[in-house]
Amino acid sequence: MLIGHQKQWEFLKKSAEANRISQAYLFVGQEKLGKRKVALDLVSWLFNQDVQNSQHPDLVLISPENKEIQINQIRELIWKLSLKPYSAPFKVAIIDEAHSMNQEAQTALLKTLEDPKGKAILILISSKSQYLFPTILSRVQIIKFFPVKKEEIKNYLKKEKKTEREAEEISKFSLGRPGVAIDFVSFPQKFEKFQKKIKELNEISKSDLIIRFQYAKVLSQDPQDLRETLSIWLNYFRNLLLFNINRPEEV
């Protein structure tokens, strides 16, 4: 089920129906917005077959290895795209976290974008498109993704048998990112810890200075808890800032 992004979906679908689908796209936006989900839904629609959990011979999925996409991965991708489609109308490649391509990999990909061969569609997915070569950005059609309205995430959670209170809490802390909501549903303990740490943060921010120092002292005695707490806080503030910059899309 697609949560939000109906404008993006309708644009892609209508482009395909009118035979005006681009040879290369860049899906850009925050992490866990659902960009990869939209890409796979598009491929499923184009292939007339669900590819979400399958290894379709005409679909190539690329993701970082050891935090980086390397040139050998792109070379293999280029080779696969040059082959004739097995059963689908064309080959499709999805490069997740495209910004993690090293310079050699980006250079190799650029050559393919400049001189595409075979019947193929390339979909790049990125939350940090500023790390991609400007020449790559100039050769792809950019599709922007924005935070999803809280009500849409809440309605999805209700369909997943969550209570009104659970749906309200999870959708609130997801900050417009369906992937985060799904993670919280899949790992309830993760959500409980997140709630606890944000509650502590709110309480400490309103406390006297001596209480803050006492909290910091206790927290520092457990290095692992300290790292996890700081990670939750930093991610929360970062995503809250991005949420306020990129308001939920109007549908």
Side-chain angles (χ1 to χ4, degrees):
M1 176 182 174
L2 186 61
I3 309 172
H5 313 309
Q6 290 304 312
K7 286 184 179 180
Q8 291 84 345
W9 172 250
E10 287 301 320
F11 171 78
L12 291 164
K13 186 179 175 183
K14 287 179 180 179
S15 296
E17 289 173 338
N19 200 28
R20 290 188 285 104
I21 197 159
S22 177
Q23 287 193 310
Y25 290 100
L26 170 62
F27 289 4
V28 64
Q30 284 177 258
E31 295 177 350
K32 294 188 176 292
L33 282 179
K35 302 183 296 296
R36 189 174 187 273
K37 167 68 173 167
V38 172
L40 289 171
D41 278 1
L42 177 63
V43 177
S44 296
W45 187 82
L46 292 171
F47 287 5
N48 195 28
Q49 178 182 343
D50 185 8
V51 301
Q52 296 283 343
N53 299 306
S54 67
Q55 294 183 334
H56 196 284
D58 292 321
L59 174 62
V60 186
L61 298 172
I62 300 290
S63 57
E65 294 179 356
N66 298 319
K67 298 183 179 181
E68 190 174 72
I69 296 176
Q70 304 186 22
I71 190 170
N72 64 301
Q73 293 175 268
I74 299 302
R75 283 173 175 165
E76 183 178 2
L77 167 67
I78 293 170
W79 172 73
K80 288 181 178 179
L81 292 182
S82 69
L83 302 174
K84 290 183 178 181
Y86 179 76
S87 60
F90 29 68
K91 294 276 189 180
V92 178
I94 297 175
I95 304 180
D96 206 359
E97 297 185 52
H99 54 268
S100 65
M101 286 187 289
N102 60 31
Q103 290 196 355
E104 289 180 323
Q106 290 199 47
T107 299
L109 182 68
L110 181 59
K111 292 178 181 177
T112 296
L113 291 172
E114 290 174 337
D115 185 24
K117 292 181 173 62
K119 298 177 67 177
I121 297 172
L122 187 63
I123 302 175
L124 281 65
I125 299 174
S126 177
S127 59
K128 301 172 183 175
S129 58
Q130 67 269 26
Y131 293 117
L132 291 168
F133 289 172
T135 42
I136 288 180
L137 296 177
S138 68
R139 287 172 171 79
V140 298
Q141 184 168 3
I142 298 175
I143 308 292
K144 294 182 179 181
F145 287 76
F146 302 95
V148 175
K149 287 182 177 180
K150 177 184 168 183
E151 283 304 312
E152 292 192 59
I153 297 176
K154 188 175 177 179
N155 290 336
Y156 163 79
L157 294 169
K158 286 181 179 179
K159 290 178 182 178
E160 292 297 304
K161 309 301 182 184
K162 291 297 173 183
T163 65
E164 176 72 24
R165 181 179 177 182
E166 288 173 329
E168 174 67 25
E169 285 291 297
I170 293 174
S171 60
K172 178 177 73 175
F173 285 117
S174 298
L175 294 174
R177 297 183 299 157
V180 173
I182 292 170
D183 281 350
F184 284 156
V185 170
S186 301
F187 305 101
Q189 293 172 334
K190 181 178 179 181
F191 181 56
E192 289 171 10
K193 186 163 191 175
F194 180 88
Q195 279 183 300
K196 178 175 178 288
K197 293 301 179 182
I198 298 303
K199 182 180 178 181
E200 289 176 0
L201 174 63
N202 289 329
E203 290 174 350
I204 290 298
S205 67
K206 300 172 185 176
S207 300
D208 294 334
L209 192 59
I210 189 169
I211 301 296
R212 298 184 194 181
F213 277 120
Q214 288 174 346
Y215 178 81
K217 182 179 179 181
V218 172
L219 198 61
S220 66
Q221 292 171 353
D222 186 341
Q224 182 176 351
D225 187 41
L226 175 62
R227 285 193 295 270
E228 289 180 355
T229 301
L230 291 177
S231 178
I232 288 173
W233 287 357
L234 286 170
N235 283 328
Y236 178 73
F237 281 126
R238 176 182 179 273
N239 291 316
L240 184 61
L241 175 63
L242 291 172
F243 175 81
N244 287 322
I245 292 172
N246 302 298
R247 301 302 298 177
E249 60 182 32
E250 295 296 326
V251 178

